[in-house]
Amino acid sequence: MALDYVILNKENTQNGLIAINKSVFQSIAEITIDDLENAERSEKGSFSKAVVVRISDNRLLIDTDIHVRYGANINATCEQVQNRIYENILFMTGFKASGISVKVTGFEI
């Protein structure tokens, strides 16, 4: 069963467990994409989101749909999105994402 949070410290200390909700990772990924020059989040309908975070067996998996600016290198942009999301999540939470999937769904002109 998938959880809504990731446990950061495995051993139970006197202060308890430290866990981060998946909405935190989703917000970090969304802000990261918004800060990039050649990528934008795909606008989805009301029932689906451009950034989907899944947590399984304390592993963080992120799927994101983006639009790439017309004329930009798609491979370089996707690689930049993956690297930036990974680095920002690691910097802000100390947790390493297990997988970041980027899907190009359109272009911005």
Side-chain angles (χ1 to χ4, degrees):
M1 181 172 162
L3 297 174
D4 285 342
Y5 56 88
V6 171
I7 299 173
L8 293 182
N9 61 343
K10 298 288 187 191
E11 54 280 339
N12 193 356
T13 63
Q14 67 184 21
N15 296 330
L17 294 174
I18 298 173
I20 298 177
N21 193 320
K22 69 180 182 180
S23 64
V24 173
F25 298 111
Q26 181 177 353
S27 295
I28 292 171
E30 288 173 349
I31 292 169
T32 300
I33 294 169
D34 291 343
D35 285 343
L36 295 174
E37 183 179 337
N38 291 327
E40 285 186 12
R41 285 185 285 153
S42 295
E43 293 301 321
K44 295 288 195 164
S46 59
F47 294 110
S48 61
K49 303 211 180 271
V51 177
V52 177
V53 176
R54 293 176 288 132
I55 298 172
S56 177
D57 297 327
N58 216 38
R59 293 179 52 220
L60 178 65
L61 304 168
I62 299 173
D63 298 323
T64 182
D65 296 343
I66 64 169
H67 286 170
V68 176
R69 178 172 291 170
Y70 182 78
N73 185 328
I74 294 174
N75 288 334
T77 302
C78 290
E79 187 176 334
Q80 182 183 28
V81 169
Q82 284 179 322
N83 290 337
R84 284 282 187 79
I85 290 174
Y86 180 84
E87 290 169 358
N88 286 346
I89 287 176
L90 183 61
F91 177 72
M92 293 181 194
T93 65
F95 193 78
K96 293 181 181 178
S98 298
I100 300 171
S101 172
V102 178
K103 182 170 69 170
V104 177
T105 59
F107 297 95
E108 290 295 322
I109 298 175

